[in-house]
Structure formats: structure tokens, C-alpha cells
């Protein structure tokens, strides 16, 4: 049709914000609260949504997704909690070390890849560590609509249990905390076994926990569509490799510490993206030719597509081999 | 501009008519002299001034009469509006989206006053001034989706998103091109598209679904679709096929220009933020062949498109039997001259008919 031809922009719509508060939660976690710079309310969102925070780190622009943890009922503020990762790629360290109250930043409109199934008669939330953040927003949403929910929240130590006190005070009958170093663990089998029909389970936490919940639920006969999970992957480092971008007609080198997507962007080629964590599918790219092996790490393509060698998700996946050509 | 609302009907005496203004902005759907399916999506962020693409929810001269027609359809058949229990939040999302958009885009026609959850909505063309509590269904005369879509032109499919699919779990469908909400309710994207020929083989639906699942908040999308309707009927539903189907046999070479209408749907897609559902408004625009022929480029092109359309598509769109008569009529307006690219009539630059 092309009534008014517009080029699709990479990434979600952006919002200019000011850091209204930086709050230390515990030794590893810090909460950042944002206000809009134009004084307007933020767009409404649903529990489970994330925003991508743009960090200007010297020459480098870092783009990291974080779950919105504030209440969907209060659109004056968006809040995220960031776990410091001392051996990661540096985004969380930048947030912890460099971002201060009063700073101007840019974040994206919310995107939800982990939404509640509103048909559920009951929602069981299973959180591990920093995986608590999307559930904080979901709990607000549930409370607003009189939803039936419970939270099982596993933390390493009592002192690293972010928001444990708030949660247990506000919802003493709905929240159960499990502290690893006190040898407390979720009795998952018993928990899943006792749920009424129509219950949906949601898990967010380390990969092992997510796999454990899916496997246990499946073994107990839970329908797969009743178990939901979200895991954002950070791009993993790897050996540098070269890629030819056919449409752009350039050859680029992907460095050890950067993702393929980041390398494409660094070379001035616009590529679509949303979550940057292997979940949303937006950056899916066709492979023109390849001589080597793909290191697929995304949750988007299925096994068959991974095996075909015809597609790659450049936000988290890499390549080892002699030549790679992409349709970009 | 101030819109002059027509007093007109879409049934019985069919007094529906398009003003010059409405013909000028009619969304002629063919950007070249032939047509085939494609995933012809683009962003829905404005368009040329006064065009139907300009506003998020277009309001035109047919607004008041279309809403009256919708109320009549619903009075006869309440099942045209349905919302499964889990879709109420999406209904509030839709109400918010339409109220905010219309009050911002048409401040002379609509007002929204918000004090936390206490809202007041003023709809001047329909004479409505209601106060209610946002997210409290007991304060509205209908459910939120029904309330707002009784005040918004076009059909509305409200699609739940889960399991990497979209589900037709709510809607207000009274101006449809021969499909039924009551039949499709609860179906997923592939189920409700099952009857469409050819597109499956082309892989259109798989790609379209991927695109739709990724429609993001603040970045709505749109496309055009089209079919043919004899007489300016909004309600061409399967439920009422016994009333309108027979009218397709009433075409004659003499009345074809005024009775045969090109029916164009502006389909838009918005992510609904609180429910993460997707709303799919389908806005119907009708224009008679004789009005279309007043734009020489459209006359030339419509003839070529209809002439060359594959038989399956003409059958699916329901005009295969009338195609020869339509082509007899349309060929009078095709002098073989080339046409300019794009959908707009280009009245100032395209030559007049050379025969």
C-alpha cells in the first residue's frame, strides 16, 4: 500500500528518562527508578514486561534488557533491579558504578515476552534470585484484579534475598521463601501435585531451575502450555570470527567480547532487534552461505532450524569456521 | 476541519453516499495494475493530511450512521459482540486506547477527562457524556469493549496472545466481509484463516503471524484488504447471507455503476499494554464503481486488476459470477494508458480518459 513509506526502526520505541532514585537493595542488587523527562506518565504495561536500557559507556552503547518490577498501576515511575555481575560483559557493572540519581538515560517501551495467561484459575510463581523482578510487577497486577496467586522464592542467603521482607510482610499467606544456605528447597513435586486444575506455573531464575521446573511439571503430566518461563541470555564471549553482510556488502569481524548483533551495529548496519536475549525472534537473520559450525544459543529457533544452518539469531549466537555470509 | 455527518442507511433504501471529500480520501488498495497477496504491512504512524491513514482511528462523515447501523445489528443478534471471560482486561485496554486516541486526534469531537481512575468521556457526535471508574465494569452500561466499540467505526477483533499464537477470544463484528465471530470465537490464527485460498502455499500466514506476535506497544501496524459488495451493505455476515447474497443477482449493466461497490478494509494492529493482547480493528470503506471512475487512474487500474485476478481469488471474494459484467463496465474506463505508481488518484497529474 505504502501510503507513507516508513522504514522500520530497529528496537522498540524509546523514552527519555531521568534516574529519579538509585537504591541499594543488598550487596549485589541495586534498584533504579526512572521518571519521564517530559513529565508525562509512562505507557501502561503488563506484569512480565521488560525494557531495554541504553547505556552510554564511553564509545560503547550498551543495551541490556531488564524486567519492569514496579506496579503496572503506578505509571509515574518505572523501576528495575539490576544484579551486579562481576564477570559479565559490563552492563550491570556500568549500572552499578556509573549511573547516578539525576542522570539522563534512554529506555525502550515495554515489551512482554513473559505475560500472564489470563485464563488461569490460579498462578504459581517460582522465582530464583534476581528472577524475582518480573513477579513483583505480576503480583501488583494480580492484587489489582483480585487474582489467585502464590509465590515460591528461592534465595542464596537471607541477606541476598531481595525484597524478601516486603513480600513476606505484605502477603504472609501467599509468599514462601526458601534459603539455600539454610538447606531450604522448594518441594516442587509436592507443590505441583497439589495444584487445582487450571493452574499455570511461571518460572524465572537460573537456567537449571527453569529446566527443573519444566521437566518436573512435564513428568507429572502438566500440559506444556501451563508452564511459562523467561530467561534472558547474555551474549557469551567466544573466538572472534568474520562475517560478510551481503546486502550491506561489507565484511566485519565479531570480537571476542561482543555479540554478532553488536558487531553489525558497530559497523553502522541497522538490524532489527527487541529483547537482545534470544527470546523475541526479531533479529532472526538468513544465512546465505556458511563453512563452519554455528553456536546457537537462542530460545527462538527450533531444533530443526538450528540444524538447518539457514538461520541465526545474532543477538546471542556465534559461529566458528572459515566463512559466513548473512543476508543483512 | 469540522466533519459534516451524513444521515444515511446501509440497508433497505441504501441512502449511503460518499461526498467528494470522501472519494478523495477513499483507500484505493491497488498500488500497481495487478494484485496478489503479500504481507503488505507497514507502520501505522500517520499519513498524508486528511487521508484515512492520518489518525489512529479515522472518523469520517459516515460515523453517526454507521454507529446507528451497528446498534440495529446488535439488537437483532447480540452474538455479534462476544468476549471470553479472560478478555475483560483487554477490553479496558481497548477502551483506553480509543478514548485517548480520539480525544487527542479529534479534540473538537471527543473529550476524555481523567482523575486517577475516575474518568469522564464526552462523545459529541453521538451525544454521550458518561462518567465511570476505569477498570470497574459495574460503572459502565456495557462491558468495556462493547461500550467503546459501539462508538467506534469498524470491526474489532481482540486477540489473546499465548503459545506463540493469536486467539480470537473477543470481538465486535458487525461490518464483516462474510465471516462470523460466533463461528470463529476461540480459534487460533491458523484455524480462522483456514478458508483462504493460495496464501497457505505462499507461506503468507506463517510470516504474518510472526510479524503480528512482534507488534510492539507504541508501534502499531496496518495493511489494506479488499473485496466486492453489491449495494452499500456494512453487514455482509454469513448469519444474514440469506438477505444479502441474493442481491448479488440484482446487478444489471445499467445499475452496476451505482450498485457495485469496492469494499476496502483498513486493517490495523495495536499491542494492548495491560493485557498483552493484540487488537485488530478492521475498518470498512465502501465506494461505488461510478464514484471510483471519476478518478481516471483508478478507472484504468481497477479494470486491469479485476481482469487479471486469478479465478480462485475472484471466487473467494465472491464476485466470479459477476466478473464478466463488471469487466464490460470497467473496460469503458480503460484507454490503455500507463498509470502512475502508488495508490493515490493523482488527479492533478494523471491524464483524463482518452475515449
Amino acid at each position: 500500500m505504502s501510503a507513507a513509506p516508513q522504514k522500520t526502526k530497529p528496537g522498540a520505541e524509546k523514552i527519555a528518562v531521568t534516574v529519579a532514585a538509585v537504591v541499594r537493595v543488598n550487596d549485589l542488587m541495586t534498584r533504579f527508578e526512572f521518571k519521564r523527562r517530559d513529565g508525562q506518565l509512562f505507557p501502561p504495561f503488563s506484569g512480565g514486561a521488560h525494557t531495554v536500557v541504553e547505556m552510554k559507556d564511553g564509545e560503547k552503547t550498551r543495551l541490556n534488557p531488564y524486567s519492569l518490577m514496579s506496579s503496572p498501576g503506578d505509571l509515574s515511575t518505572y523501576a528495575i533491579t539490576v544484579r551486579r555481575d562481576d564477570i559479565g560483559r559490563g552492563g550491570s557493572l556500568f549500572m552499578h558504578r556509573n549511573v547516578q540519581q539525576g542522570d539522563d538515560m534512554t529506555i525502550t517501551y515495554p515489551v512482554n515476552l513473559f505475560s500472564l495467561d489470563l485464563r488461569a484459575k490460579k498462578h504459581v510463581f517460582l522465582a530464583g534470585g534476581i528472577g524475582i523482578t518480573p513477579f513483583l510487577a505480576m503480583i501488583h497486577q494480580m492484587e489489582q484484579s483480585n487474582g489467585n496467586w502464590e509465590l515460591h522464592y528461592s534465595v542464596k542467603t537471607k541477606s541476598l534475598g531481595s525484597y524478601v521482607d516486603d513480600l513476606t510482610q505484605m502477603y504472609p499467606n501467599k509468599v514462601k521463601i526458601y534459603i539455600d544456605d539454610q538447606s531450604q528447597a522448594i518441594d516442587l513435586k509436592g507443590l505441583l501435585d497439589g495444584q487445582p486444575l487450571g493452574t499455570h506455573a511461571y518460572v524465572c531464575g537460573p537456567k537449571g531451575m527453569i529446566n527443573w521446573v519444566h521437566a518436573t511439571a512435564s513428568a507429572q503430566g502438566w500440559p506444556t502450555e501451563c508452564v511459562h518461563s523467561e530467561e534472558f541470555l547474555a551474549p557469551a564471549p567466544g573466538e572472534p570470527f568474520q562475517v560478510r553482510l551481503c546486502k550491506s556488502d561489507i565484511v566485519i569481524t565479531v570480537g571476542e567480547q561482543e555479540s554478532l548483533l553488536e558487531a553489525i551495529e558497530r559497523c553502522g548496519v541497522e538490524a532489527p532487534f527487541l529483547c537482545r536475549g534470544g527470546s523475541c525472534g526479531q533479529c532472526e537473520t538468513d544465512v546465505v552461505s556458511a563453512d563452519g559450525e554455528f553456536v546457537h544459543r537462542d530460545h527462538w529457533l527450533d531444533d530443526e532450524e538450528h540444524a538447518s544452518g539457514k538461520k541465526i539469531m545474532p543477538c546471542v549466537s556465534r559461529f566458528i569456521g572459515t566463512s559466513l555470509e548473512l543476508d543483512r | 476541519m469540522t466533519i459534516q455527518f451524513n444521515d444515511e442507511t446501509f440497508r433497505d433504501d441504501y441512502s449511503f453516499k460518499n461526498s467528494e471529500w470522501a472519494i478523495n480520501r477513499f483507500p484505493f488498495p491497488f498500488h500497481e495494475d495487478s494484485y496478489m497477496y503479500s504481507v503488505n504491512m507497514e507502520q501505522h504512524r500517520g499519513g498524508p493530511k486528511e487521508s484515512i491513514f492520518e489518525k489512529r482511528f479515522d472518523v469520517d462523515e459516515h460515523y453517526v450512521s454507521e454507529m446507528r447501523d451497528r446498534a440495529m445489528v446488535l439488537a437483532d443478534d447480540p452474538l455479534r459482540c462476544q468476549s471470553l471471560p479472560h478478555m475483560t482486561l483487554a477490553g479496558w485496554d481497548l477502551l483506553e486506547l480509543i478514548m485517548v486516541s480520539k480525544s487527542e486526534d479529534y479534540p473538537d469531537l471527543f473529550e476524555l477527562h481523567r482523575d486517577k481512575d475516575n474518568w469522564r468521556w464526552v462523545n459529541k457526535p453521538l451525544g454521550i457524556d458518561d462518567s465511570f471508574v476505569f477498570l470497574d465494569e459495574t460503572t459502565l452500561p456495557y462491558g468495556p469493549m462493547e461500550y467503546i466499540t459501539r462508538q467506534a467505526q469498524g470491526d474489532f477483533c481482540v486477540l489473546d496472545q499465548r503459545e506463540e499464537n493469536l486467539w480470537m477470544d473477543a470481538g465486535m463484528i458487525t461490518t464483516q466481509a462474510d465471516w462470523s465471530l460466533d463461528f470463529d470465537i476461540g480459534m487460533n490464527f491458523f484455524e480462522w484463516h483456514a478458508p483462504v485460498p493460495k496464501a497457505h502455499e505462499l507461506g503468507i500466514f506463517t510470516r504474518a503471524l510472526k510479524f503480528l506476535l512482534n507488534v510492539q506497544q507504541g508501534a502499531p501496524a496496518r495493511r489494506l484488504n479488499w473485496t466486492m459488495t453489491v449495494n452499500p451493505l456494512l453487514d455482509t455476515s454469513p448469519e444474514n447471507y440469506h438477505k444479502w447474497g441474493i442481491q448479488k443477482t440484482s446487478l444489471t449493466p445499467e445499475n452496476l455503476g451505482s450498485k457495485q461497490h469496492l469494499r476496502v478494509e483498513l486493517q490495523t494492529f495495536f499491542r494492548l499494554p495491560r493485557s498483552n493482547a493484540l487488537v485488530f480493528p478492521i475498518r470498512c470503506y465502501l465506494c461505488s464503481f461510478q464514484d471510483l471512475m471519476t478518478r481516471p487512474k483508478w478507472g484504468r487500474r481497477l479494470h486491469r486488476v479485476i481482469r487479471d485476478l486469478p479465478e480462485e481469488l475472484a471466487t473467494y471474494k465472491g464476485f466470479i459470477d459477476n466478473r464478466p459484467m463488471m469487466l464490460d463496465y470497467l473496460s469503458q474506463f480503460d484507454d490503455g494508458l500507463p498509470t502512475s505508481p502508488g495508490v493515490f488518484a493523482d488527479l492533478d497529474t494523471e491524464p483524463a480518459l482518452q475515449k
Side-chain angles (χ1 to χ4, degrees):
Chain A
M1 131 179 70
S2 276
Q6 304 131 319
K7 207 169 159 216
T8 310
K9 283 185 269 178
E13 287 293 291
K14 293 174 180 177
I15 309 171
V17 298
T18 301
V19 179
V22 178
V23 182
R24 184 182 180 278
V25 179
N26 56 41
D27 280 352
L28 282 180
M29 320 281 188
T30 301
R31 181 171 71 247
F32 298 87
E33 298 178 5
F34 303 114
K35 299 273 185 202
R36 269 178 89 129
R37 238 179 286 164
D38 61 10
Q40 303 283 306
L41 292 178
F42 281 104
F45 68 100
S46 43
H50 71 266
T51 180
V52 173
V53 177
E54 195 175 303
M55 302 166 214
K56 293 283 178 210
D57 185 0
E59 291 285 285
K60 208 169 184 162
T61 300
R62 299 178 180 279
L63 297 164
N64 280 20
Y66 295 105
S67 295
L68 288 170
M69 54 157 286
S70 44
S71 167
D74 174 12
L75 300 176
S76 65
T77 305
Y78 272 1
I80 60 171
T81 294
V82 178
R83 180 186 193 279
R84 196 183 74 231
D85 183 354
D86 293 318
I87 54 162
R89 294 162 9 99
S92 70
L93 281 174
F94 179 86
M95 289 298 290
H96 275 253
R97 287 178 186 157
N98 299 59
V99 175
Q100 294 177 341
Q101 189 180 337
D103 284 0
D104 287 340
M105 295 189 85
T106 302
I107 65 174
T108 66
Y109 263 62
V111 172
N112 200 337
L113 304 174
F114 187 45
S115 59
L116 292 164
D117 189 323
L118 296 173
R119 297 171 309 158
K121 308 290 181 208
K122 181 180 173 187
H123 306 266
V124 173
F125 302 141
L126 299 155
I130 188 65
I132 188 63
T133 51
F135 296 125
L136 296 171
M138 287 181 176
I139 288 168
H140 284 295
Q141 185 177 339
M142 282 286 107
E143 285 294 295
Q144 244 182 356
S145 57
N146 275 324
N148 184 7
W149 64 274
E150 64 188 45
L151 169 71
H152 299 267
Y153 178 18
S154 169
V155 299
K156 274 216 169 68
T157 66
K158 190 154 195 316
S159 61
L160 285 179
S162 311
Y163 308 111
V164 158
D165 294 341
D166 296 349
L167 286 164
T168 46
Q169 270 166 31
M170 287 183 73
Y171 317 109
N173 300 320
K174 294 184 169 181
V175 172
K176 193 153 188 320
I177 308 292
Y178 306 80
I179 302 170
D180 280 0
D181 72 353
Q182 296 178 19
S183 304
Q184 299 170 352
I186 301 174
D187 169 19
L188 188 58
K189 265 190 166 166
L191 178 67
L192 294 177
D193 196 33
Q195 297 304 326
L197 276 182
T199 301
H200 282 240
Y202 305 78
V203 54
C204 185
K207 193 176 186 63
M209 179 179 187
I210 292 173
N211 293 345
W212 174 55
V213 171
H214 279 293
T216 310
S218 162
Q220 294 200 2
W222 277 55
T224 43
E225 60 270 23
C226 292
V227 185
H228 311 264
S229 59
E230 178 165 64
E231 183 200 10
F232 282 131
L233 300 166
E239 289 292 308
F241 59 100
Q242 282 204 335
V243 188
R244 194 178 117 74
L245 306 178
C246 296
K247 276 190 196 142
S248 316
D249 196 20
I250 52 170
V251 177
I252 65 170
T253 303
V254 183
E256 183 184 334
Q257 289 294 335
E258 67 182 345
S259 71
L260 172 54
L261 177 63
E262 287 165 341
I264 291 172
E265 291 169 341
R266 177 171 53 73
C267 296
V269 176
E270 276 199 349
F273 71 85
L274 274 174
C275 79
R276 306 180 81 85
S279 296
C280 75
Q282 194 69 20
C283 69
E284 184 180 302
T285 304
D286 289 333
V287 174
V288 177
S289 75
D291 182 6
E293 239 177 82
F294 290 93
V295 185
H296 291 294
R297 297 181 62 249
D298 61 278
H299 298 309
W300 174 255
L301 301 172
D302 59 30
D303 292 347
E304 208 174 293
E305 287 169 313
H306 281 157
S308 77
K310 290 191 175 141
K311 288 183 187 302
I312 186 168
M313 309 304 293
C315 65
V316 292
S317 298
R318 301 183 71 89
F319 180 77
I320 301 169
T322 49
S323 79
L324 174 63
E325 290 190 311
L326 297 180
D327 184 32
R328 178 71 67 205
Chain B
M1 66 159 283
T2 310
I3 301 168
Q4 287 292 324
F5 296 108
N6 299 347
D7 183 5
E8 62 193 357
T9 57
F10 302 87
R11 56 179 72 204
D12 306 326
D13 64 342
Y14 299 111
S15 63
F16 163 87
K17 62 190 175 306
N18 281 311
S19 66
E20 273 297 300
W21 175 73
I23 300 170
N24 273 335
R25 67 200 300 278
F26 181 75
F28 189 76
F30 308 112
H31 63 89
E32 56 187 9
D33 288 355
S34 64
Y35 173 80
M36 194 52 205
Y37 292 129
S38 61
V39 183
N40 52 340
M41 304 273 192
E42 64 182 22
Q43 294 186 57
H44 182 41
R45 299 187 202 206
K49 204 165 159 39
E50 301 253 323
S51 77
I52 65 140
F53 305 108
E54 185 186 8
K55 312 290 194 192
R56 286 166 280 186
F57 295 91
D58 183 46
V59 175
D60 67 10
E61 62 191 28
H62 308 297
Y63 178 50
V64 174
S65 295
E66 281 191 29
M67 293 301 95
R68 188 168 54 206
D69 195 71
R70 165 157 292 164
M72 290 158 78
V73 173
L74 288 168
D76 287 346
D77 183 0
L79 292 178
R80 301 298 189 86
C81 177
Q82 299 190 42
S83 176
L84 297 182
H86 62 281
M87 297 303 283
T88 305
L89 185 60
W92 283 109
D93 267 328
L94 181 60
L95 174 144
E96 180 179 32
L97 176 67
I98 294 177
M99 286 187 179
V100 169
S101 303
K102 283 194 167 180
S103 60
E104 288 176 359
D105 293 349
Y106 300 93
D108 54 329
L109 301 179
F110 305 97
E111 292 171 18
L112 177 63
H113 305 276
R114 289 185 280 185
D115 174 17
K116 298 230 167 68
D117 286 341
N118 295 304
W119 292 22
R120 178 172 160 231
W121 167 246
V122 182
N123 178 335
K124 292 179 189 166
L126 296 183
I128 291 169
D129 184 339
D130 283 339
S131 293
F132 62 95
V133 179
F134 186 65
L135 297 178
D136 181 351
E137 284 168 81
T138 62
T139 59
L140 281 176
Y142 307 100
M145 179 192 72
E146 179 169 359
Y147 177 79
I148 196 58
T149 56
R150 281 176 175 267
Q151 303 177 44
Q153 286 167 278
D155 283 347
F156 292 84
C157 306
V158 187
L159 313 174
D160 196 19
Q161 179 160 335
R162 53 176 202 270
E163 296 156 38
E164 293 297 318
N165 211 325
L166 294 166
W167 304 80
M168 182 81 68
D169 285 352
M172 167 67 90
I173 310 295
T174 68
T175 66
Q176 67 269 51
D178 204 7
W179 69 279
S180 162
L181 175 69
D182 192 40
F183 188 76
D184 285 1
I185 190 106
M187 288 189 186
N188 71 32
F189 189 79
F190 296 111
E191 290 168 337
W192 83 69
H193 279 122
V196 183
K198 282 200 168 221
H200 294 274
E201 292 86 338
L202 297 171
I204 297 271
F205 289 125
T206 313
R207 278 190 301 154
L209 177 63
K210 268 197 173 180
F211 177 91
L212 293 175
L213 292 172
N214 262 315
V215 167
Q216 297 304 331
Q217 227 177 302
R222 68 182 173 217
R223 69 183 285 262
L224 292 179
N225 196 8
W226 66 277
T227 187
M228 293 287 175
T229 303
V230 175
N231 288 326
L233 274 157
L234 284 177
D235 175 24
T236 50
S237 58
E239 286 91 336
N240 279 334
Y241 187 80
H242 60 289
K243 295 182 193 163
W244 60 268
I246 188 82
Q247 296 178 25
K248 290 199 272 185
T249 62
S250 68
L251 274 192
T252 65
E254 293 71 36
N255 68 20
L256 190 141
S258 59
K259 265 181 176 294
Q260 181 64 58
H261 288 69
L262 178 59
R263 181 189 194 101
V264 177
E265 294 174 351
L266 171 65
Q267 306 183 342
T268 50
F269 306 89
F270 296 82
R271 176 68 53 202
L272 296 175
R274 296 168 198 273
S275 57
N276 204 39
L278 193 75
V279 67
F280 173 30
I282 307 167
R283 172 67 180 279
C284 167
Y285 294 86
L286 294 164
C287 191
S288 67
F289 273 23
Q290 66 187 19
D291 282 348
L292 288 169
M293 295 305 113
T294 60
R295 307 298 187 263
K297 171 177 161 184
W298 290 354
R300 293 180 179 107
R301 181 167 293 168
L302 189 60
H303 173 246
R304 297 166 198 177
V305 168
I306 300 304
R307 181 191 62 201
D308 300 339
L309 194 74
E311 204 166 308
E312 301 96 307
L313 287 185
T315 305
Y316 173 66
K317 289 179 186 287
F319 63 87
I320 187 74
D321 292 343
N322 285 333
R323 177 150 75 168
M325 202 194 302
M326 287 159 75
L327 289 175
D328 284 344
Y329 176 85
L330 291 171
S331 62
Q332 306 169 68
F333 300 91
D334 187 358
D335 51 18
L337 289 182
T339 54
S340 60
V343 295
F344 295 106
D346 301 328
L347 206 47
D348 296 338
T349 47
E350 288 289 278
L353 183 67
Q354 307 286 309
K355 64 177 186 183

